[in-house]
Amino acid sequence: MAKSSDWLPGSRTDILAMCRKWLAYLIETLRTALGIPAAEFTELGNLFNKAETLLIKAQDEAERTHVITVECQTAFKDLSAKMRFFRDRYFKVPPLTEGDWAALGFKPKDAHPTPTPPPDGVPAVSLSYPGGPHAITIHLEPMAGTQELALESDYGYAIYVGVMPPGGATLEQAASDKHYLMKPPLDGKGLMHYRFTRRRREKLVFEAAESSMLVYVCCRYENQKGETGQWGPVASAVIP
């Protein structure tokens, strides 16, 4: 779950509310000016609709199942990754006005912020099996001999995840909404953003069809301004 200093809201309802503002304001005012391709905008809308629909089902005791719960988790992971992509790719150049930021649901910028330097530590990742079907636990800590950062206030872990079928993904699998990997990654650049966290441990739950595939996880430190540090080593494990 996102923390207060992370710009992405922590609750699923608030994520939907922010994305709803984006869709309305971009189509009315900013999409063309920011150079957002129609296909990217459509994909954001489709991810929003899917997440909203699955959340309604997940909150309905009559419809909620284990499959719905997993699909809802995946839908919000995909939507959050796309929203982070939009902010990093389209909302920084050209710079938005304060009015634009407010209309998109961002908090006003602090006129007298406390200086926070870019992260200079390097995190390490290890993976374990917590029990239960198709689950992996991510363990996060500073690499031995590197600086331990103040995770409680200024810093957190940006986690990136990718899944590779045995032998590597086909072109069709790589182009799917799962973005399966065709080859093992060298660092986090080829992986999808999973979440920002200040926790030392996060649990990943996969679909049954992904059992026996390889999951790759990499992370780097991120500060409250969105600045990131060096990539840590890539960890991998077979999905049970």
Side-chain angles (χ1 to χ4, degrees), residues 74-90:
T74 300
F76 274 89
K77 179 180 72 174
D78 293 343
L79 177 60
S80 296
K82 178 58 71 173
M83 291 175 70
R84 290 184 184 279
F85 170 82
F86 260 64
R87 184 181 186 274
D88 291 342
R89 178 66 63 88
Y90 301 118

Side-chain angles (χ1 to χ4, degrees), residues 63-124:
E63 289 197 65
R64 184 173 62 242
T65 63
H66 175 69
V67 172
I68 291 295
T69 300
V70 172
E71 288 181 346
C72 186
Q73 180 188 51
T74 300
F76 274 89
K77 179 180 72 174
D78 293 343
L79 177 60
S80 296
K82 178 58 71 173
M83 291 175 70
R84 290 184 184 279
F85 170 82
F86 260 64
R87 184 181 186 274
D88 291 342
R89 178 66 63 88
Y90 301 118
F91 293 175
K92 293 182 178 180
V93 179
L96 302 181
T97 67
E98 290 294 332
D100 291 331
W101 282 107
L104 292 168
F106 294 103
K107 294 180 180 179
K109 295 181 179 179
D110 188 352
H112 304 285
T114 301
T116 301
D120 58 2
V122 182

Side-chain angles (χ1 to χ4, degrees), residues 21-57:
K21 289 181 178 180
W22 288 18
L23 293 169
Y25 195 64
L26 288 175
I27 199 169
E28 292 175 1
T29 307
L30 280 180
R31 188 182 73 79
T32 302
L34 295 177
I36 300 173
E40 289 282 8
F41 184 74
T42 299
E43 184 179 359
L44 179 65
N46 290 340
L47 290 172
F48 168 84
N49 292 332
K50 183 177 182 180
E52 184 178 46
T53 299
L54 285 168
L55 181 60
I56 292 172
K57 291 182 178 180

